[in-house]
Amino acid sequence: MKKVSIVIPLYKSEKFLTKLLDSIMNQTYKNIEIILVDDGSPDTSGEIADNYAKKDSRFLVIHKENGGCCDARNKGLEKASGEYLMFADGDDWMELDCIEYLVRIAEDNGCEMSTTDAIFTTRNREQNNFDSIRVMNKSDAVASIINTFYIPVGPWNKLYSMKIVKENNLSFSVPWFGEGLYFSAMAAQYSNKMAVGHRKVYNYRLNNPNSGCTLKEVQNGINSMNNILYIKKSLKVNSKSIEDALNWHIWTNYFHLADYIYSASAVKEYKNEYIEAKNEMRVYMPKVMINSTISVSDKIKILLKTIFPVFFIKYGDYKAKRAFQNDTMD
């Protein structure tokens, strides 16, 4: 049973942290080390972490000045000693067989990386009726990760070979929003194969008001755009499927940037960025429309969003607000 290192950055996580740490402490896979990085959190997250370290020697706590999520993960990576690597966010939690499942599908199929194509959220608690394991080569793995409707975005919900991470100097040193997509895509391109399961084993929280995915900050939209363009420049593997995935993701990020600017009532302040986002949506839309992996209905939505972005931004904000208000899961 190879050791698995789980790196978890902590910042303002006290409300949800116990649920996460209990779910990891009670995993069916026992050979783990849990590296908790207190990123100068102003609440009791660091104290909670210390208490878990006192009762379970598999916990290691690092206290540091606030430097952001990327810096916290990098500090955890420096201490990780396992043969496999995982990440979790402080407000999420794992199913009790999460680690066992990801290790098993990787090792059974000779893969250096594994993940699933579905997750639980605080708004969707239904398990898939069946499981299936697909094995992808590095090209298909990269494309599926960038096509975030295939593989849930984020560094979590994935198992990485520590050898791949160390040999290729992978880290979270790219300071842009969406750093998890960068890390996962880079790991996939250096892994020979990736196993993808269909069972839900990771729980993603959608009702944290402090989450970067809940708050629509314009700078995050700009940073996300920088991130996907940097990924495009950094990839060493090429294929039609990767090109299609990049075109879709770039179009999506330009729509999100327009969304963030409009929703923040910052069109005047970010006039140039707002105009550029809408123009680039029109540039990338035809490239996305020839992508054979996108359904006809989704292509129609992309076309309409490109022509009428403000309508869909307002409608999306309304739906998101209603969903957030109705999401009361602890």
Side-chain angles (χ1 to χ4, degrees):
M1 187 178 280
K2 296 177 181 177
K3 183 192 285 188
V4 179
S5 300
I6 306 106
V7 175
I8 307 169
L10 306 179
Y11 188 78
K12 294 184 178 180
S13 304
E14 63 180 2
K15 181 178 178 181
F16 310 112
L17 187 54
T18 297
K19 187 167 190 172
L20 168 66
L21 299 186
D22 283 345
S23 77
I24 298 178
M25 186 171 64
N26 295 311
Q27 286 288 302
T28 56
Y29 194 96
K30 301 301 181 183
N31 191 14
I32 59 178
E33 65 174 0
I34 307 103
I35 303 172
L36 306 175
V37 186
D38 171 20
D39 189 32
S41 185
D43 62 7
T44 61
S45 295
E47 182 180 339
I48 294 171
D50 287 336
N51 288 335
Y52 273 82
K54 290 175 183 177
K55 60 185 179 182
D56 191 327
S57 62
R58 297 175 299 173
F59 285 88
L60 168 66
V61 183
I62 301 170
H63 297 281
K64 59 180 285 296
E65 292 184 4
N66 180 251
C69 183
C70 293
D71 183 61
R73 288 193 182 121
N74 285 338
K75 288 293 188 295
L77 266 175
E78 291 174 6
K79 297 293 185 180
S81 62
E83 293 175 80
Y84 291 119
L85 173 68
M86 290 181 67
F87 297 95
D89 284 349
D91 55 352
D92 297 337
W93 72 101
M94 296 181 184
E95 294 298 292
L96 297 183
D97 65 339
C98 177
I99 299 173
E100 178 185 357
Y101 179 82
L102 292 176
V103 171
R104 176 173 60 79
I105 66 172
E107 295 192 341
D108 284 354
N109 295 283
C111 298
E112 295 158 310
M113 186 173 171
S114 64
T115 186
T116 65
D117 60 11
I119 56 174
F120 286 117
T121 72
T122 47
R123 300 172 195 173
N124 181 352
R125 308 304 309 158
E126 186 175 346
Q127 180 61 273
N128 289 325
N129 292 327
F130 65 92
D131 191 14
S132 64
I133 312 299
R134 291 172 292 156
V135 177
M136 296 184 176
N137 61 31
K138 62 177 63 181
S139 177
D140 289 341
V142 170
S144 295
I145 287 170
I146 295 173
N147 272 328
T148 55
F149 49 83
Y150 283 134
I151 303 293
V153 67
W156 37 260
N157 191 45
K158 297 172 179 69
L159 180 85
Y160 310 90
S161 161
M162 188 70 81
K163 181 180 179 182
I164 294 295
V165 171
K166 297 296 186 182
E167 285 183 351
N168 295 284
N169 298 313
L170 298 182
S171 72
F172 291 86
S173 298
V174 177
W176 296 312
F177 195 69
E179 72 286 342
L181 179 70
Y182 169 81
F183 188 94
S184 299
M186 294 302 110
Q189 80 165 350
Y190 292 120
S191 300
N192 288 323
K193 294 186 295 183
M194 179 176 76
V196 183
H198 191 54
R199 176 178 168 78
K200 297 178 182 179
V201 293
Y202 190 89
N203 297 269
Y204 185 72
R205 185 173 297 281
L206 291 170
N207 60 6
N208 182 354
N210 297 314
S211 169
C213 293
T214 302
L215 300 170
K216 289 187 176 182
E217 297 182 358
V218 174
Q219 191 59 51
N220 284 347
I222 294 171
N223 291 346
S224 292
M225 201 66 251
N226 290 333
N227 180 62
I228 190 60
L229 295 176
Y230 185 77
I231 290 172
K232 182 178 181 179
K233 184 174 69 173
S234 303
L235 286 173
K236 302 183 187 306
V237 292
N238 296 290
S239 68
K240 178 63 165 57
S241 61
I242 292 175
E243 182 182 348
D244 286 344
L246 286 167
N247 287 335
W248 173 83
H249 203 111
I250 291 170
W251 178 92
T252 300
N253 275 17
Y254 275 122
F255 177 78
H256 286 161
L257 177 55
D259 180 0
Y260 286 16
I261 293 172
Y262 187 90
S263 298
S265 300
V267 172
K268 288 185 178 179
E269 182 180 356
Y270 292 94
K271 180 181 178 180
N272 292 337
E273 290 85 353
Y274 185 66
I275 292 173
E276 179 187 8
K278 292 197 297 180
N279 288 340
E280 290 298 320
M281 285 170 62
R282 297 187 187 100
V283 170
Y284 276 90
M285 184 267 293
K287 301 177 184 180
V288 177
M289 298 296 277
I290 63 173
N291 185 340
S292 60
T293 63
I294 298 176
S295 68
V296 173
S297 61
D298 284 335
K299 288 180 180 180
I300 293 172
K301 290 178 184 176
I302 288 168
L303 174 63
L304 293 175
K305 284 183 175 181
T306 302
I307 299 172
F308 307 108
V310 172
F311 171 82
F312 283 94
I313 289 169
K314 289 181 177 179
Y315 180 65
D317 285 348
Y318 169 76
K319 283 183 65 179
K321 184 177 180 180
R322 287 284 303 274
F324 186 85
Q325 290 173 340
N326 293 329
D327 187 350
T328 58
M329 186 174 182
D330 292 333

